[in-house]
Amino acid sequence: MPSKPAKVIWLQGITCNGNTHSFLNDPSLGALLESIEFIHHPILPCKKTLKELVKKLPKSDILIFEGAYRADFERAGVKMETLLVTLASKTKHIIALGSCASFGGIFKEASPEHISGILFDKESESGPLQTLRKKVITLSGCPIHPKWLSFVLDMIVQGKKITLDEYRRPKELYGYLVHNGCLRNEYFEWKVDSDHFGTKEGCLYYAQGCQGPFTHGSCNKILWNEVSSKTRAGTPCVGCTEPSYPRTELFSTKTYMSIPAEMPLGIPKRSYLALAGAAKSFHIKRLEGKLIDDNA
């Protein structure tokens, strides 16, 4: 453990505060706050208010940016093109927190030409921190899983190396697909569909638009609130960790002649269709009934 806590600035762009609220649900928050110290945070106790912060922009060890970036958006009377870039130049590590800070997210839909993430604009690496890209760690998600943030903060504090993917997301967290660990995988393999939200049975990919087979994230490995995930609760993954988020028609699967338009990541279409055809020829009674029959 370092002798002094790491100095952290939490700056907000255009945001709904979702990542801030998610972070407050981290059960390890108390222990984490023993190793970091907030110079500024919009909600938690900290040394400086936002107005005090902008009077003399200080150095920090970690800059966390939550929300989408727009150059002329202001905080405490200072435009983001000055505030973010100056604070970023004075810190050692930068965390793009949430899908909006990572790729533009939902807020980008309101003004696609002016709003972006801090390093990426959708898939393009054309955000305002291009020259500081080596400092940036991307933590996409809407909102971010609180344990993903505490994991990265702890790794930085401990001085450990974080291996990143092409979008600078930690591979330890985003090397998996949401499909990995989904309790519905047996239904996926045998092509048994779910027709409704909120049920325990059936795969949500074929009819409900589930993006789990394409989306990088450990939602079914590191469970939300330590007990569940979207797919476990009977709701399809909406792909919120990817640059393409948000897509339209979140809860439907685009098909051509009953065949999904998008194949599971890395699976050749011909191979998928051959396996799907064989699987559909079987009728497995165990998978066609309720897992828990209240009338039994």
Side-chain angles (χ1 to χ4, degrees):
M1 177 73 72
S3 57
K4 294 182 179 179
K7 297 185 182 301
V8 180
I9 295 175
W10 185 303
L11 179 65
Q12 291 184 315
I14 306 170
T15 180
C16 67
N17 298 312
N19 298 291
T20 289
H21 288 282
S22 181
F23 181 55
L24 297 180
N25 283 315
D26 186 350
S28 64
L29 181 59
L32 181 65
L33 292 177
E34 294 179 3
S35 61
I36 64 172
E37 176 185 42
F38 282 110
I39 297 175
H40 172 74
H41 189 284
I43 292 179
L44 292 173
C46 53
K47 281 189 171 182
K48 294 180 181 289
T49 65
L50 188 59
K51 287 184 178 179
E52 292 170 340
L53 183 81
V54 301
K55 287 180 180 177
K56 186 178 181 181
L57 298 176
K59 293 181 179 178
S60 64
D61 296 306
I62 305 169
L63 172 64
I64 297 174
F65 188 84
E66 174 187 14
Y69 172 83
R70 178 170 177 141
D72 58 0
F73 183 74
E74 295 184 1
R75 287 289 185 195
V78 182
K79 290 183 178 179
M80 203 53 66
E81 61 185 353
T82 299
L83 188 54
L84 171 63
V85 174
T86 304
L87 287 174
S89 68
K90 292 184 174 183
T91 194
K92 299 173 183 173
H93 306 275
I94 302 165
I95 297 175
L97 189 66
S99 292
C100 293
S102 299
F103 306 117
I106 287 178
F107 287 105
K108 181 175 174 61
E109 302 301 303
S111 184
E113 295 181 356
H114 300 103
I115 293 178
S116 70
I118 60 174
L119 180 58
F120 292 95
D121 184 355
K122 292 287 189 181
E123 292 86 357
S124 171
E125 192 173 313
S126 55
L129 299 189
Q130 293 175 66
T131 58
L132 301 172
R133 69 178 305 277
K134 290 185 177 179
K135 294 184 182 181
V136 178
I137 296 173
T138 299
L139 287 179
S140 54
C142 185
I144 180 68
H145 193 302
K147 286 194 173 181
W148 298 356
L149 176 57
S150 58
F151 167 79
V152 169
L153 288 173
D154 187 59
M155 291 288 282
I156 292 173
V157 169
Q158 298 299 329
K160 295 181 180 178
K161 181 181 178 182
I162 302 174
T163 304
L164 306 174
D165 70 8
E166 62 180 316
Y167 294 117
R168 303 195 64 77
R169 300 176 297 194
K171 288 185 176 180
E172 182 69 25
L173 302 172
Y174 296 87
Y176 304 86
L177 293 177
V178 173
H179 188 62
N180 298 138
C182 177
L183 295 181
R184 299 168 186 272
N185 278 352
E186 194 176 18
Y187 296 103
F188 174 84
E189 292 164 0
W190 295 104
K191 313 307 170 197
V192 178
D193 300 351
S194 173
D195 295 325
H196 304 285
F197 287 0
T199 61
K200 297 181 184 297
E201 304 83 10
C203 178
L204 299 158
Y205 166 58
Y206 305 102
Q208 309 295 342
C210 184
Q211 297 292 293
F214 325 111
T215 301
H216 293 86
S218 46
C219 298
N220 276 313
K221 178 173 179 280
I222 304 173
L223 299 177
W224 287 80
N225 298 319
E226 301 185 323
V227 295
S228 194
S229 68
K230 283 191 178 72
T231 58
R232 293 188 181 204
T235 304
C237 165
V238 296
C240 70
T241 62
E242 297 298 327
S244 57
Y245 177 79
R247 65 187 182 91
T248 58
E249 300 180 1
L250 285 177
F251 303 122
S252 64
T253 301
K254 188 176 182 180
T255 60
Y256 297 113
M257 299 178 69
S258 301
I259 299 170
E262 190 175 1
M263 294 291 107
L265 193 64
I267 306 298
K269 189 172 186 178
R270 182 174 295 179
S271 301
Y272 174 83
L273 294 178
L275 289 172
K280 278 195 170 184
S281 67
F282 293 93
H283 290 284
I284 303 172
K285 190 174 181 180
R286 177 174 59 83
L287 298 180
E288 295 174 351
K290 285 283 193 182
L291 285 173
I292 301 173
D293 188 349
D294 294 335
N295 298 316

